[in-house]
Amino acid sequence: MGSIQLALLLQSLDQQLVDWAWIRQNYREDIVPAVIGHIYLSFVSVAIALAISLPVGIIVSRYRKAYPPVTILTGLLYTIPSLALLAILVVIPGIGVGPNAVIIALVAYSLLVLIRNVVTGIDSVPAETIDAARGMGLTERQILFKVEIPLALPVIVAGIRIATVTVIGIATIGAYIAGGGLGQLIFDGIDQNFPTKVIVGAVLATAMAVVADLLLLALERYLRPWARRVRGAS
Amino acid sequence: MIEFKEVSKIYPGAQTPAVKDLSFEILEGEICVLVGPSGCGKTTSMRMINRLIEPSSGEILIDGEPNTKMSGTALRRKIGYAIQQIGLFPHRTIARNIATVPQLLGWDRERIRRRVDELLELVGMNPADFRDRYPSELSGGQQQRVGVARAMAADPPIMLMDEPFGAVDPITRERLQDEFLRIQENIKKTIVFVTHDIDEAVKMGDKIAILEQGGILAQFDSPENILTHPNSEFVASFVGADRVLKRLSLLRVADMRLDPADGADDLPTIDERLTVRDALSQIVGVGATGGIVERDGERQLLTIKAIEGLLKDSGSARG
């Protein structure tokens, strides 16, 4: 098969699936706001989830008895199907439809992973490192902020990575209850039988997840400078 | 000066005390080794000095003051602390590890920088090479050196060392011990040194406290007296059947009075820096009856007989 024929075939497919002219025309009104809305949903959700998980994780790592109930509760939240959770939230008075319901759902999904990674990160700090720190006269607070959290940070960021990628994916469903974001394009495209919107929404959501994953991976590496160097001198 | 006054420790839920009625005194500028089998409470005793563990009864005086007079953290910043597992901060460079206590004490940057370099030199590591490395890039011996340097950083008058050379191979350990003794000759710290190894205790200690199961002080004396006059069956068996030889490792050939050697060219040459034990081993090893020591350009004779005499002397002199 000649390359010209292949190009023609691709072009015809192209015309059916992706209407480039539409993209050029509606770039500002439809696509950019959807991207911004999606970033907003994902970022705010992960930020709130982190603000809850850090203190909870630190407390749980100190008071071990609290860990099983916390795990059970966040695990339960994690298992609720996302559509069902959104539906429940919408009927709760004071929440209703809109981005807030979506954010609450996304926070609920992130807690399990984030809390678990905060606890795992703190647990991974060697006991002798803490003993040495205490023996040199660091206060409990200094041990937490100068030793435990810096050493746990790469593991915590690994949790943020998983949570972020998950949240970017689930956030698309949020459009179902008028949460905005790239899901809006996808749902519109389905309703209007206009594949271009579906594809644009899906491709951008995927790209966003990949980019966030890579950025956070880079951050994770950056936070562990001691592991980047070559090991074992002499 | 550190004084234990009837110190006991019973851990919650334990049937027997970990440390029982411990009373003894560590003099300024001395290395006091706490030694004994595992479970004898030696580490517990050490950790009660800087209040990582609080005693159940009794008290510990530091320079005449109870160690409970200031807060635990303030106390610990004044006492050097080095442990077997080292516990370097993996996320901090060597320089920042060593700077830990000076930073807590609020030293200025320039003073800390100078102190870090000085300490690296002291433990035989080139500051330019090691300052900015991370602990994971160092060998076990180098990490232990850094651990000791970090404990000495703020120049504390007292240092607690819990098997500080325990995590390295025997050859490196011996070198680190020698280096540390050389450093101690100049800095004259009051050191509490915990080990389970009686040979290390004999080598490092000005005084040795032998503890037995249940945290009971079995004997507290100089290494020589403990080797010559163990006061119980337990101490005798703990120091071992080779305690006569161990005494020889306390002495150096350089410290012996020797006669000039005439002739006797077939005898092995002995380095006068060796311990008498090592010299004896070298002599017996080649099947000779003595060795030649070169001292101040003179050839002197070290015989097995002279070594035997040494054992009798120190035995009766201190009896």
Side-chain angles (χ1 to χ4, degrees):
Chain A
M1 184 158 64
S3 60
I4 297 171
Q5 281 160 301
L6 183 66
L8 281 173
L9 180 67
L10 280 176
Q11 209 180 5
S12 67
L13 267 177
D14 227 43
Q15 274 165 355
Q16 279 179 347
L17 288 176
V18 181
D19 181 348
W20 292 101
W22 179 86
I23 293 177
R24 272 191 297 275
Q25 283 160 18
N26 298 279
Y27 178 72
R28 270 170 202 283
E29 294 126 73
D30 283 343
I31 299 175
V32 171
V35 168
I36 292 171
H38 209 84
I39 291 175
Y40 169 79
L41 285 178
S42 312
F43 182 82
V44 170
S45 305
V46 174
I48 293 173
L50 192 59
I52 297 170
S53 303
L54 268 179
V56 170
I58 290 165
I59 291 167
V60 160
S61 73
R62 295 284 187 278
Y63 304 98
R64 236 23 220 232
K65 278 185 192 157
Y67 198 24
V70 167
T71 311
I72 290 168
L73 183 70
T74 53
L76 265 175
L77 288 175
Y78 193 73
T79 53
I80 302 173
S82 38
L83 214 49
L85 183 57
L86 288 174
I88 295 166
L89 287 169
V90 165
V91 298
I92 294 176
I95 300 179
V97 293
N100 288 348
V102 181
I103 289 171
I104 292 171
L106 296 178
V107 169
Y109 284 124
S110 308
L111 291 177
L112 179 69
V113 168
L114 287 176
I115 293 175
R116 196 190 56 199
N117 277 48
V118 171
V119 176
T120 310
I122 291 178
D123 282 354
S124 71
V125 179
E128 65 265 21
T129 305
I130 293 171
D131 180 39
R134 193 168 288 133
M136 284 187 290
L138 275 78
T139 61
E140 292 307 306
R141 204 188 166 80
Q142 285 166 333
I143 291 173
L144 177 64
F145 286 104
K146 294 188 170 190
V147 180
E148 291 181 295
I149 290 183
L151 281 171
L153 215 46
V155 182
I156 296 173
V157 173
I160 297 175
R161 243 180 92 200
I162 300 170
T164 305
V165 171
T166 313
V167 158
I168 290 173
I170 301 177
T172 49
I173 301 171
Y176 189 71
I177 56 160
L182 291 165
Q184 199 60 56
L185 282 180
I186 298 173
F187 281 114
D188 286 354
I190 294 169
D191 284 348
Q192 298 159 9
N193 200 10
F194 182 45
T196 303
K197 282 191 174 180
V198 178
I199 290 171
V200 167
V203 166
L204 287 178
T206 310
M208 200 182 288
V210 171
V211 168
D213 190 47
L214 291 176
L215 285 177
L216 287 165
L217 183 65
L219 179 66
E220 205 182 311
R221 294 250 171 94
Y222 171 78
L223 289 170
R224 219 195 289 250
W226 62 92
R228 279 206 305 263
R229 309 268 190 95
V230 189
R231 279 176 165 265
S234 79
Chain B
M1 195 257 285
I2 304 166
E3 191 181 353
F4 279 73
K5 284 173 89 173
E6 287 167 32
V7 175
S8 294
K9 175 70 190 180
I10 304 171
Y11 286 108
Q15 298 292 314
T16 51
V19 174
K20 200 175 171 206
D21 293 333
L22 197 59
S23 292
F24 68 105
E25 205 175 307
I26 301 162
L27 300 180
E28 204 170 313
E30 276 193 349
I31 300 182
C32 173
V33 180
L34 305 181
V35 67
S38 57
C40 72
K42 50 192 190 293
T43 296
T44 300
S45 303
M46 187 198 85
R47 290 166 73 92
M48 285 191 287
I49 296 172
N50 67 354
R51 289 176 58 199
L52 285 171
I53 297 173
E54 301 283 0
S56 309
S57 65
E59 62 176 356
I60 296 169
L61 306 180
I62 296 176
D63 293 326
E65 306 261 10
N67 67 350
T68 47
K69 223 182 158 189
M70 58 174 93
S71 78
T73 46
L75 177 76
R76 293 194 272 274
R77 288 174 194 184
K78 295 181 156 192
I79 299 178
Y81 186 67
I83 51 174
Q84 177 183 2
Q85 310 85 342
I86 316 170
L88 293 180
F89 301 136
H91 60 306
R92 293 190 173 181
T93 60
I94 299 308
R96 288 199 59 213
N97 262 287
I98 295 175
T100 304
V101 180
Q103 252 168 10
L104 290 174
L105 296 174
W107 290 19
D108 65 69
R109 194 176 293 202
E110 180 54 27
R111 185 175 170 205
I112 290 176
R113 200 192 57 78
R114 263 184 287 126
R115 182 64 179 154
V116 166
D117 284 5
E118 185 186 16
L119 283 163
L120 281 172
E121 300 264 7
L122 188 68
V123 297
M125 294 169 77
N126 183 4
D129 288 346
F130 287 100
R131 215 188 270 135
D132 298 322
R133 295 224 207 153
Y134 285 97
S136 61
E137 301 174 271
L138 268 53
S139 69
Q142 289 166 338
Q143 291 190 27
Q144 296 223 301
R145 277 168 207 213
V146 174
V148 171
R150 183 173 71 169
M152 295 195 294
D155 206 13
I158 296 172
M159 287 177 62
L160 309 181
M161 308 179 85
D162 189 351
E163 309 215 17
F165 312 127
V168 289
D169 61 273
I171 293 168
T172 309
R173 182 179 317 143
E174 194 140 318
R175 205 165 59 220
L176 290 174
Q177 289 167 344
D178 291 336
E179 283 173 12
F180 187 73
L181 286 174
R182 199 196 64 227
I183 293 169
Q184 165 68 356
E185 259 177 49
N186 297 318
I187 59 176
K188 286 282 169 218
K189 304 282 184 199
T190 306
I191 293 167
V192 181
F193 192 109
V194 167
T195 180
H196 63 272
D197 175 3
I198 184 68
D199 289 307
E200 188 172 44
V202 167
K203 179 172 183 179
M204 304 301 288
D206 295 306
K207 293 280 170 54
I208 297 178
I210 299 187
L211 296 165
E212 60 185 296
Q213 221 63 243
I216 298 156
L217 185 61
Q219 189 166 4
F220 178 63
D221 212 327
S222 68
E224 265 196 12
N225 283 353
I226 281 179
L227 291 173
T228 341
H229 303 293
N231 67 359
S232 68
E233 198 72 3
F234 167 76
V235 174
S237 79
F238 187 75
V239 298
D242 61 339
R243 60 195 165 90
V244 173
L245 286 175
K246 286 198 175 98
R247 274 167 60 203
L248 292 180
S249 57
L250 289 171
L251 299 165
R252 299 206 173 257
V253 175
D255 301 327
M256 292 179 70
R257 219 178 313 120
L258 301 173
D259 295 325
D262 346 289
D265 287 330
D266 55 334
L267 295 179
T269 307
I270 307 290
D271 187 328
E272 67 167 344
R273 286 168 301 184
L274 287 181
T275 65
V276 179
R277 183 181 183 163
D278 290 345
L280 180 66
S281 162
Q282 208 173 335
I283 292 165
V284 175
V286 297
T289 56
I292 301 295
V293 180
E294 301 261 7
R295 188 185 292 175
D296 310 326
E298 197 193 353
R299 285 159 53 82
Q300 297 181 332
L301 183 64
L302 171 69
T303 61
I304 294 181
K305 271 227 138 31
I307 296 173
E308 279 173 13
L310 206 65
L311 289 171
K312 278 179 200 134
D313 279 357
S314 62
S316 56
R318 287 170 196 269

